[in-house]
Amino acid sequence: MDQTTLAYVNLYAVLGALPRLTELDPAARQLATVKKPFRLGFRVKNGPSATLVFEDGLCRMEEGADQCDMRLAFSSPEKFNGMIAGTVTPFPLKGLHHVFFLLRRFTKLTDILTKYLKAKPEDLSDEGFFAVSTELMFRVIAQAVAQIGNHDKIGAFSASHILDGDVELSVESGPAATLRAKDHALTAIFEQPESPRAVMHFTSLKLARALFDGKINAVACIGRGEIEMRGMISMIDNINRILDRVSVYLS
């Protein structure tokens, strides 16, 4: 596992799920409700940088960390990954007087996110929790595929064989995403593509969840018609090779 790639996955895929979390979970929305917009920036040396903007009970992610109220700077990808793992305590390079936002709001938001992404079996028995947890996991995995395809050496090899165009990942009556390939770089867009060159479609949310959890075999599901694939199959084959790397970074 490459630590720089992991930093991209942690920032854009894991923390990148917070905007959708604030849309789906009332407690998260309450934590994101601030008197005026608040910008929390993350800058990783030799790695990614982005800003989470909290406004009107919602959250969005923007590229870069120049314009922010509080900035957390990390001297290496390993330090940032340590913060995500809970082994490194971040120190604000800017906006120290906003530390209570970090402790009282942001930390609680990430705790809620962790509850959904590392769900307990008893929590998943609730249909509403199951749906939110699976959608968030879907988003994290789709974004992780893009980051691994762009930064991990093995993932980049597979990405180098993907033709330009859109690959649709979708779940019946559930979430959809576009993996857009351009010059062998991948971008995750969380909307259904208008003209995909290839489609990978799960016939149910429960099926997608079982696959994400490693409880079923994708090849067997394809054989039974539970996962539909059409279009430029070579694009999907290479996406699936990158998908095999996701568990290495999200374990």
Side-chain angles (χ1 to χ4, degrees), residues 70-74 83 88-94 96 102:
M70 171 181 277
R71 183 184 301 117
L72 302 180
F74 301 87
M83 184 200 76
V88 172
T89 301
F91 185 81
L93 190 65
K94 175 185 177 182
L96 180 59
L102 189 68

Side-chain angles (χ1 to χ4, degrees), residues 18-189:
L18 287 173
R20 186 59 177 154
L21 175 68
T22 59
E23 295 174 349
L24 296 173
D25 184 272
R29 190 177 308 117
Q30 185 175 4
L31 287 168
T33 301
V34 290
K35 292 181 179 179
K36 61 180 182 179
F38 186 83
R39 305 172 68 88
L40 177 60
F42 300 86
R43 176 172 289 158
V44 182
K45 186 176 181 179
N46 299 321
S49 64
T51 297
L52 289 169
V53 183
F54 298 89
E55 185 176 10
D56 297 329
L58 296 174
C59 171
R60 67 180 184 273
M61 178 173 276
E62 298 178 352
E63 289 287 341
D66 290 331
Q67 303 296 322
C68 55
D69 299 294
M70 171 181 277
R71 183 184 301 117
L72 302 180
F74 301 87
S75 59
S76 68
E78 288 84 353
K79 293 290 187 181
F80 175 69
N81 296 331
M83 184 200 76
I84 299 298
T87 59
V88 172
T89 301
F91 185 81
L93 190 65
K94 175 185 177 182
L96 180 59
H97 59 289
H98 292 300
V99 68
F100 287 115
F101 178 91
L102 189 68
L103 298 176
R104 295 178 180 175
R105 292 181 183 267
F106 180 72
T107 300
K108 290 180 180 179
L109 272 170
T110 57
D111 287 344
I112 294 173
L113 181 63
T114 299
K115 183 179 179 181
Y116 281 114
L117 295 181
K118 296 184 177 181
K120 297 178 181 178
E122 56 268 27
D123 291 329
L124 290 172
S125 63
D126 179 270
E127 289 187 8
F129 184 97
F130 176 88
V132 173
S133 174
T134 305
E135 178 171 347
L136 291 171
M137 185 176 288
F138 175 88
R139 293 175 73 91
V140 169
I141 289 172
Q143 184 63 260
V145 167
Q147 300 307 319
I148 292 169
N150 292 340
H151 301 286
D152 175 80
K153 288 184 178 180
I154 297 173
F157 178 79
S158 295
S160 72
H161 292 85
I162 300 176
L163 302 173
D164 284 0
D166 290 347
V167 177
E168 175 187 318
L169 301 178
S170 57
V171 181
E172 187 72 27
S173 302
T178 299
L179 285 172
R180 178 162 296 163
K182 177 69 174 176
D183 298 328
H184 310 301
L186 300 177
T187 304
I189 304 167

Side-chain angles (χ1 to χ4, degrees), residues 130-131 134-135 171-175 202-210:
F130 176 88
T134 305
E135 178 171 347
V171 181
E172 187 72 27
S173 302
F202 301 91
T203 55
S204 74
L205 201 63
K206 288 185 178 181
L207 172 73
R209 180 65 190 228

